[in-house]
Amino acid sequence: MGGIMKQYLKHLIMSLVLVLSILLISVPAEASSTPEVSYSNQSITSFMLKPNFMSNSWTGFRDAYIDLQIDKSGIAHFYTLVCASNSKYYCKITMKLQRYKNKTWTTLTSGTCTSKSDNMYSRSYYVSKGYKYRVYSKAYIYKSKNGKLINSDTFTKTKTRK
C-alpha cells in the first residue's frame, strides 16, 4: 500500500475515532439563568453531526465541517471541525457566535482552540428570538507548533431564531 494511501486511511480512522469519542462524551446543554450555557471544548450533541462539508482540495486542509443549530429552548449549539492534511500539522480554530442587528454582525461569544492534526471546537450559548445568528470561524494550519503558517480559511453558517 502506498504512503499516501496509508496516510489517508490513518486520517480517516482518526476522524472516525474523533466523531465516535464526541458521541460518547456528548452532554446535552440545559437552559439556565445565565446566557452562557457551556464552554465545553470537545463536547457536542448528536443532532449536530449533520455538518456542512467543505471541499478537501486546498493546501493543508483535509476536511472542514461547521454547523449551527438552535434548539426549541433557544440554545445555539455550534462547532467547527478541521482536519489537517498531515498528522504533524497544527490546527488553530478561532470561532465566534454573532448576531445580526441594525445591519451589523456583533460578536456574542468567541474562543480559540489549537490542536495537533485534527481539531474540533464546540460551544453552546442562549440566543434571543427574532434575530439572525451565525458561526464565523477562521481556521489556520501550521507546519508545527508555533511554526510557519501553511494556509487559513474562513467558514460561516447562519440560522435565524424565530
Side-chain angles (χ1 to χ4, degrees):
M1 198 181 276
I4 293 173
M5 183 59 107
K6 283 183 183 178
Q7 186 177 11
Y8 175 77
L9 287 174
K10 181 180 176 186
H11 282 291
L12 181 63
I13 290 170
M14 290 300 295
S15 295
L16 290 172
V17 167
L18 178 65
V19 169
L20 288 174
S21 65
I22 290 164
L23 286 172
L24 291 174
I25 64 169
S26 68
V27 179
E30 295 179 17
S32 68
S33 60
T34 59
E36 193 79 26
V37 176
S38 172
Y39 284 96
S40 178
N41 184 1
Q42 303 293 328
S43 69
I44 189 168
T45 57
S46 61
F47 75 86
M48 290 176 56
L49 293 174
K50 299 175 189 168
N52 283 355
F53 177 70
M54 310 303 173
S55 170
N56 60 354
S57 61
W58 66 121
T59 305
F61 290 88
R62 187 180 81 246
D63 299 316
Y65 303 86
I66 186 169
D67 201 14
L68 166 62
Q69 298 293 324
I70 302 173
D71 66 24
K72 291 178 183 178
S73 62
I75 299 172
H77 304 278
F78 51 102
Y79 75 94
T80 304
L81 170 63
V82 175
C83 302
S85 62
N86 184 321
S87 63
K88 295 180 181 179
Y89 290 170
Y90 277 76
C91 298
K92 176 182 172 184
I93 297 169
T94 301
M95 186 171 67
K96 300 175 184 178
L97 177 66
Q98 299 178 319
R99 177 178 59 202
Y100 191 71
K101 182 178 179 183
N102 299 326
K103 300 181 182 181
T104 303
W105 287 104
T106 303
T107 299
L108 303 173
T109 186
S110 64
T112 301
C113 181
T114 303
S115 180
K116 189 173 184 180
S117 185
D118 300 337
N119 188 5
M120 180 168 185
Y121 189 38
S122 67
R123 302 277 300 267
S124 296
Y125 192 90
Y126 178 80
V127 295
S128 301
K129 289 182 180 180
Y131 294 100
K132 186 185 295 187
Y133 296 91
R134 79 173 177 187
V135 177
Y136 178 91
S137 292
K138 182 97 178 192
Y140 305 86
I141 304 291
Y142 294 95
K143 188 164 185 130
S144 61
K145 190 173 187 179
N146 302 317
K148 179 184 173 190
L149 177 67
I150 294 172
N151 203 354
S152 65
D153 210 337
T154 302
F155 310 101
T156 62
K157 176 75 185 263
T158 304
K159 290 270 184 177
T160 300
R161 178 165 184 220
K162 297 177 181 178

